[in-house]
Amino acid sequence: MKNLLLAGLLALCSSWAAAQPTLAVPVRQGWFDGQPVWYLTTDASRADAAIDNAANLVPRLANALPLSRHEPNPRSVLDRIYKFAAQPSVLPSIPQPLGAANRDRAYSPLWDVIMVHWQPGRTVRELRSVDDVLAAEDAGDVRLEPLELVVNCPVLQVGRQALPGITPLPLP
């Protein structure tokens, strides 16, 4: 009898899960270690960014910014994301693997936005990893500007691997 009851409950739960509605949401493409990544921007600490990203305005997110911006704090809830004017952003961490089995303790969907500016007279090229960004900064090709902006951007797909329940997008 217990097995029959359990089977009935499992069938009910699985049919309930299958009947859940879906939403079409805009995602953004970025880069992580040369791999294409897709993420969703849901919240921003500044009104201009919330408008630009069709996201919720959440001013309290700015409270997560560190007092010192010189070095990332490994114990902070924030990670850095490198934003460009003319290319996808570069992410420093992702869930590995995506989903409940993530083992990357450095990953956070809360991003401290760092704008990457190409210096005049330098050859603009696509940067696809944090190492590329930092090497370009060391070479004097780019200047990094903290924007005093925090965004919530969960990663949904890395390469061909998508978060469970998400239909993967084709690779660029």
Side-chain angles (χ1 to χ4, degrees):
M1 184 67 170
K2 284 184 186 177
N3 288 343
L4 185 57
L5 180 60
L6 180 59
L9 286 173
L10 288 174
L12 179 62
C13 288
S14 66
S15 67
W16 177 78
Q20 291 297 305
T22 60
L23 292 173
V25 295
V27 294
R28 296 187 183 277
Q29 196 244 315
W31 293 105
F32 170 77
D33 283 350
Q35 297 180 82
V37 173
W38 285 267
Y39 60 93
L40 171 64
T41 302
T42 59
D43 308 288
S45 65
R46 290 191 344 218
D48 61 331
I51 292 167
D52 290 347
N53 290 286
N56 294 312
L57 173 60
V58 185
R60 287 181 59 185
L61 283 176
N63 295 336
L65 288 169
L67 297 176
S68 170
R69 302 294 291 284
H70 294 36
E71 294 296 323
N73 177 353
R75 298 186 58 91
S76 172
V77 68
L78 294 179
D79 208 345
R80 292 179 171 185
I81 188 169
Y82 297 92
K83 180 176 175 44
F84 297 79
Q87 78 155 70
S89 295
V90 171
L91 288 68
S93 65
I94 58 170
Q96 296 187 44
L98 288 170
N102 173 39
R103 293 179 303 278
D104 185 347
R105 296 177 58 86
Y107 170 71
S108 173
L110 295 178
W111 304 103
D112 179 2
V113 182
I114 309 297
M115 189 70 192
V116 180
H117 300 280
W118 284 96
Q119 296 292 67
R122 299 298 180 139
T123 302
V124 176
R125 59 196 180 279
E126 189 164 44
L127 304 178
R128 296 183 174 194
S129 71
V130 172
D131 288 343
D132 289 350
V133 172
L134 298 180
E137 181 190 31
D138 287 345
D141 294 339
V142 299
R143 177 178 56 83
L144 304 182
E145 174 194 10
L147 292 184
E148 303 296 325
L149 169 63
V150 176
V151 292
N152 182 25
C153 299
V155 172
L156 304 175
Q157 181 178 332
V158 178
R160 288 187 168 90
Q161 179 197 14
L163 192 63
I166 292 180
T167 303
L169 293 169
L171 295 177

